[in-house]
Amino acid sequence: MNKGPIGIFDSGIGGTSIWREINKVLPYESTIYLADSKNAPYGEKSKEQILQLSVKNVELLLQKGCKLIVVACNTATTNAIKELRDSYHVPMIGIEPAIKPAALNSKTKTVGVLATKGTLSSALFNNTAEIHANGIKILDQVGTGLVEQIEKGEINTSKTRELLQKYLEPMLSQGMDQLVLGCTHYPYLIPLIKEILPENITIIDSGEGVARHTKNVLQLNNLSAVADGESSSHQFFTNGDIDVLKFFLRDVSVPYKAQFLNF
Ligand code: DGL
């Protein structure tokens, strides 16, 4: 048993969508979340820059005593997870676009993937796509500008809707029946995406799978906290706008602290 916190980081507030799934599956676990909003979007940066920023975040989480790290960012995972795993002794959980279930579910054999440029151009993503794309057409679409909109809290504005329409409509007209959300910011756009896509299109994200995987890895490494009557604690740090972070946590019902930190 280990009562240390799980460390979670993202280029901004997007990974709070993963934090939600983790808290649902692992309510006894304490967490520390870093929103590196000052450096968002990671998706337009080089592999080296993404690795440097990821190392900075991991170092801070380790200083704060984290027992396991969740890289709650597809862009950081696909560009840096191998190097992070090679450099640090704590378990590292990553997140990648869920192409496999989408490919298995697709009746039209056409899967859309909406993700950042950094993710879609990474070797890890392209290898995974190749493995699962057997007989499946994968339509990659870079979601340019979407992370910026979400980081401003604009999850339901006409500009965000226009961007989504521009990206989703061509995929629809090419026969996509599964849309993979390959960026942890995008689950916050699901209500808007549902207004644009017909009901028969399945929207897939990896959050729940990551939470289940985190639970398994904690158990395998004897790192799980136990339900001992003491409540878990949750701390969120942002180096960006604290009001935006609070906006994305407004419906969180467990006690937590959210604060600005210059990291
Ligand atoms: N949430 C990050 C991801 O999953 C967004 C990347 C970015 O900052 O561009 O890819």
Side-chain angles (χ1 to χ4, degrees), residues 7 29 40 48 85 95 104 160 188 238:
E29 297 290 346
E48 289 67 34
R85 287 193 174 126
I95 181 162
L104 291 172
T160 308
Y188 287 112
T238 180

Side-chain angles (χ1 to χ4, degrees), residues 193-263:
I193 292 173
K194 283 190 168 162
E195 286 177 27
I196 296 168
L197 295 181
E199 265 176 33
N200 62 324
I201 311 290
T202 308
I203 301 169
I204 299 183
D205 74 80
S206 321
E208 203 192 317
V210 167
R212 270 188 277 111
H213 184 49
T214 304
K215 184 176 181 179
N216 291 340
V217 172
L218 285 174
Q219 282 171 350
L220 278 173
N221 290 278
N222 285 325
L223 288 173
S224 307
V226 286
D228 56 5
E230 278 180 43
S231 54
S232 49
S233 76
H234 303 284
Q235 296 182 69
F236 293 84
F237 296 98
T238 180
N239 54 18
D241 187 339
I242 184 74
D243 290 333
V244 170
L245 175 62
K246 286 183 177 164
F247 170 74
F248 281 96
L249 298 175
R250 66 200 181 286
D251 57 340
V252 167
S253 57
V254 298
Y256 67 86
K257 264 196 197 152
Q259 52 198 298
F260 175 81
L261 181 70
N262 196 7
F263 61 93

Side-chain angles (χ1 to χ4, degrees), residues 26-195:
L26 295 162
Y28 305 120
E29 297 290 346
S30 294
T31 60
I32 298 182
Y33 181 94
L34 298 184
D36 191 11
S37 294
K38 185 172 78 183
N39 294 302
Y42 281 11
E44 299 293 317
K45 294 183 165 45
S46 68
K47 183 177 163 67
E48 289 67 34
Q49 287 173 310
I50 296 166
L51 178 58
Q52 257 177 26
L53 292 167
S54 301
V55 164
K56 167 192 66 104
N57 298 330
V58 168
E59 295 279 344
L60 180 54
L61 289 170
L62 292 179
Q63 270 170 33
K64 291 183 177 292
C66 292
K67 60 184 175 184
L68 171 147
I69 306 250
V70 179
V71 182
C73 175
N74 292 260
T75 311
T77 300
T78 52
N79 285 278
I81 194 102
K82 186 180 176 308
E83 290 81 351
L84 295 178
R85 287 193 174 126
D86 289 346
S87 308
Y88 297 99
H89 62 283
V90 296
M92 298 269 170
I93 311 286
I95 181 162
E96 287 180 63
I99 301 175
K100 186 179 175 183
L104 291 172
N105 285 341
S106 180
K107 293 192 176 66
T108 60
K109 305 280 176 223
T110 309
V111 166
V113 183
L114 188 63
T116 68
K117 186 169 142 205
T119 295
L120 294 176
S121 61
S122 68
L124 189 57
F125 171 79
N126 284 289
N127 291 342
T128 312
E130 208 171 299
I131 293 166
H132 300 296
N134 211 352
I136 302 279
K137 187 152 113 200
I138 297 196
L139 308 171
D140 296 0
Q141 176 63 56
V142 176
T144 308
L146 291 175
V147 167
E148 289 91 327
Q149 288 298 101
I150 299 161
E151 284 289 320
K152 285 190 280 188
E154 292 200 21
I155 53 173
N156 193 10
T157 62
S158 52
K159 165 113 191 268
T160 308
R161 177 189 292 269
E162 275 164 31
L163 286 173
L164 279 171
Q165 274 167 336
K166 186 166 97 183
Y167 302 145
L168 298 176
E169 280 165 4
M171 294 200 272
L172 258 187
S173 59
Q174 290 177 75
M176 154 185 91
D177 68 347
Q178 312 284 315
L179 174 67
V180 177
L181 301 183
C183 171
T184 56
H185 282 71
Y186 299 167
Y188 287 112
L189 298 179
I190 289 176
L192 208 49
I193 292 173
K194 283 190 168 162
E195 286 177 27

